[in-house]
Amino acid sequence: MRLIRRITTVVMIAALMLALCSCAPLGDMMGEIFGTEAPTESFEPVTVNEEVHDEYQPIVPRYSYATLSTDAQRLLYDKMLDAVYHVSSDADEGLYPTEKIELDVAMSEEDIRRVMKAFYDDNPDIWWVSTTYLRLIDEERDYTMVRLYADVSPDMIETRNRQLHDAVGAFLDTVPTGLTTYELEKFTHDYLLDTCAYDTEVDSVESYLNDHPDLGLPYGALVDHTAVCEGYARAMQLLLNRLGVGCVCIIGQGQGELHMWNAVLLDDGWYLVDPTWDDQQDDQLRYNYFNLTESQMNEDHIPADAVDNDDSYMSANLYLPDCDRTTFNYFSYECVHLNDLYDNAIADALYEAAAGYEDVLFIYVEPSAYTVDEAIRYLITDYPQELFDDLDEVNRRLPDYSVDDSNIRYFSDDTLHILGIELSYL
């Protein structure tokens, strides 16, 4: 569930302030920028083939970009979008420089870091950009130079982009037509859970993330089919954006560990989803983190604050949407509601579950009607034990088998307002 280390540590020490460097590097760089003896640079163009679905039109949301407050910040962001597609074949200490970005304004270090964070947030498809960067700020000349780097060579970027293109295309080929926004989100969520596995070695080997950086990228989740939380979240963001659904990544703490999950924009607002924690061996837990409110998610997920200092920008959030809707919570939207103990809704839902030989029936307990504890007492443990009357009715309707009502097992979750009835058959 931890993020790859480059997000939390490398960027804090990687930005180089050239004015504090030794004379030779400073002289070389100053000559390159202001003089006439600049060495000739050669960059390879990088291409990205965007896959499209016949029905769903891709979007390029810029939620973190929208938080940038100055023209200089927005201009730097725009120039980054061009520079990252021109990468040198010559490595510099293991990284591959992109075309330098020049601005006729002296930007602060905090401004540059904020733009880097916004750029990284908004562009899961530009996966090759390192969080290491070089910058020079000259206040006397009103000048800023920023140099980004790629983690891999241009040839490797091209190869992996083709592989990622094929993987995303394979996903899009499976997406049915005519789906609602909620259904697109659920389809994408289920696809990730069915095709990707969480790499548990990261929890036991200290250097594992450094040696396997793809685990935190969409490439890991979609091509290698193995990822950690960041890979799940950024793959979810990339795929939903391809389907025209707004999605952002949220960074914070999950049960005390650095973690990443998503917020998804549906018809009536934003919802929180954690595909990593939904990817459990037990299918009963498959939707426990699907479209929660802030208060529900905050039981064990605490989002990081907004950026408040130079060193925190990659482990904080620029954009945090309000998530207070319940309409499209999985259990509220898809499961039978308990509003009235004496209507036929539970009996009908039990019959449908039994007819499909399902292992569990989820009941969403309407918070305005009952607490989960009241539902358990009324349905199972105390008189009138309505569940057993419902099971009698179900068994009369089943043709050649019956639900075993001799040892009813159940589980509940107060935060999600659900009661689960486990079903076994005779």
Side-chain angles (χ1 to χ4, degrees):
M1 297 172 190
R2 290 173 289 178
L3 301 179
I4 58 178
R5 290 185 179 275
R6 61 189 175 88
I7 291 181
T8 57
T9 59
V10 175
V11 293
M12 296 180 185
I13 62 175
L16 306 179
M17 186 166 184
L18 298 182
L20 300 179
C21 293
S22 63
C23 295
L26 178 59
D28 291 345
M29 182 59 71
M30 295 297 285
E32 175 184 345
I33 296 172
F34 301 116
T36 59
E37 300 180 359
T40 301
E41 295 182 306
S42 176
F43 298 93
E44 299 292 332
V46 172
T47 58
V48 175
N49 299 314
E50 290 195 357
E51 315 75 13
V52 296
H53 190 280
D54 290 340
E55 179 178 351
Y56 310 110
Q57 296 303 308
I59 58 173
V60 186
R62 296 284 184 242
Y63 296 110
S64 286
Y65 172 87
T67 70
L68 301 179
S69 59
T70 69
D71 290 341
Q73 290 175 354
R74 290 185 284 269
L75 180 59
L76 176 58
Y77 184 109
D78 293 339
K79 285 181 173 288
M80 285 180 178
L81 278 175
D82 180 64
V84 295
Y85 292 101
H86 302 86
V87 181
S88 174
S89 297
D90 298 323
D92 180 2
E93 297 186 4
L95 298 175
Y96 297 83
T98 70
E99 286 187 336
K100 69 184 179 185
I101 299 167
E102 299 179 280
L103 300 176
D104 294 327
V105 61
M107 297 186 67
S108 69
E109 176 68 14
E110 181 181 355
D111 282 352
I112 297 173
R113 288 176 176 268
R114 186 175 293 270
V115 175
M116 280 287 293
K117 169 63 174 172
F119 187 87
Y120 191 77
D121 284 353
D122 289 340
N123 298 284
D125 52 330
I126 307 177
W127 54 268
W128 59 90
V129 177
S130 173
T131 50
T132 299
Y133 67 94
L134 181 77
R135 62 100 175 95
L136 182 145
I137 302 169
D138 190 311
E139 295 183 355
E140 290 185 2
R141 292 180 172 87
D142 276 338
Y143 177 88
T144 300
M145 186 281 293
V146 175
R147 171 87 75 184
L148 303 181
Y149 293 87
D151 285 318
V152 296
S153 69
D155 288 343
M156 181 62 73
I157 296 172
E158 291 288 331
T159 297
R160 292 194 168 196
N161 275 343
R162 286 193 296 269
Q163 294 171 326
L164 193 57
H165 172 271
D166 291 344
V168 175
F171 162 75
L172 293 176
D173 287 343
T174 68
V175 179
T177 60
L179 298 185
T180 65
T181 304
Y182 168 87
E183 290 167 338
L184 288 172
E185 179 203 12
K186 184 168 180 283
F187 186 91
T188 304
H189 169 275
D190 292 353
Y191 182 90
L192 272 178
L193 270 57
D194 291 339
T195 60
C196 184
Y198 182 80
D199 194 327
T200 57
E201 296 228 17
V202 70
D203 296 323
S204 57
V205 181
E206 183 65 28
S207 62
Y208 196 76
L209 286 173
N210 293 334
D211 298 333
H212 300 82
D214 291 343
L215 293 173
L217 300 174
Y219 183 93
L222 300 175
V223 178
D224 293 337
H225 305 293
T226 307
V228 293
C229 60
E230 186 185 7
Y232 278 87
R234 291 181 70 77
M236 185 90 170
Q237 180 188 21
L238 187 152
L239 294 180
L240 284 177
N241 288 172
R242 288 288 196 273
L243 294 173
V245 180
C247 180
V248 298
C249 295
I250 306 296
I251 190 170
Q253 298 283 322
Q255 291 185 343
E257 291 188 355
L258 195 61
H259 189 46
M260 185 178 282
W261 58 98
N262 297 102
V264 178
L265 180 60
L266 300 182
D267 295 345
D268 65 343
W270 287 92
Y271 292 80
L272 296 168
V273 57
D274 187 345
T276 307
W277 282 20
D278 275 346
D279 196 6
Q280 308 290 333
Q281 295 296 321
D282 188 348
D283 283 345
Q284 293 181 6
L285 306 177
R286 191 176 178 88
Y287 300 105
N288 276 21
Y289 292 92
F290 190 80
N291 291 353
L292 304 190
T293 64
E294 290 173 23
S295 61
Q296 290 173 324
M297 189 68 90
N298 286 354
E299 289 288 320
D300 46 27
H301 289 59
I302 305 301
D305 294 333
V307 175
D308 57 8
N309 64 68
D310 286 353
D311 291 335
S312 68
Y313 80 112
M314 287 303 286
S315 58
N317 296 292
L318 287 181
Y319 180 75
L320 275 175
D322 293 329
C323 302
D324 57 4
R325 307 301 180 101
T326 60
T327 304
F328 293 108
N329 169 266
Y330 170 81
F331 298 105
S332 174
Y333 191 67
E334 298 211 16
C335 299
V336 61
H337 283 220
L338 178 60
N339 295 301
D340 184 346
L341 288 171
Y342 302 102
D343 65 17
N344 294 321
I346 303 299
D348 291 342
L350 275 170
Y351 176 76
E352 290 182 13
Y357 228 78
E358 295 179 13
D359 296 329
V360 62
L361 171 69
F362 285 104
I363 300 170
Y364 181 78
V365 182
E366 280 285 355
S368 60
Y370 304 101
T371 66
V372 174
D373 183 63
E374 287 174 335
I376 293 170
R377 287 190 282 110
Y378 293 156
L379 286 174
I380 302 172
T381 63
D382 297 350
Y383 182 82
Q385 295 181 293
E386 282 292 318
L387 180 68
F388 294 93
D389 289 340
D390 292 338
L391 286 173
D392 288 342
E393 175 62 27
V394 167
N395 285 335
R396 284 192 291 269
R397 296 168 64 184
L398 291 173
D400 52 8
Y401 63 94
S402 62
V403 178
D404 183 2
D405 62 0
S406 64
N407 185 24
I408 291 296
R409 298 167 62 101
Y410 65 90
F411 56 91
S412 62
D413 190 307
D414 292 336
T415 299
L416 299 175
H417 306 289
I418 60 169
L419 170 61
I421 309 298
E422 295 184 7
L423 303 177
S424 57
Y425 301 92
L426 300 172

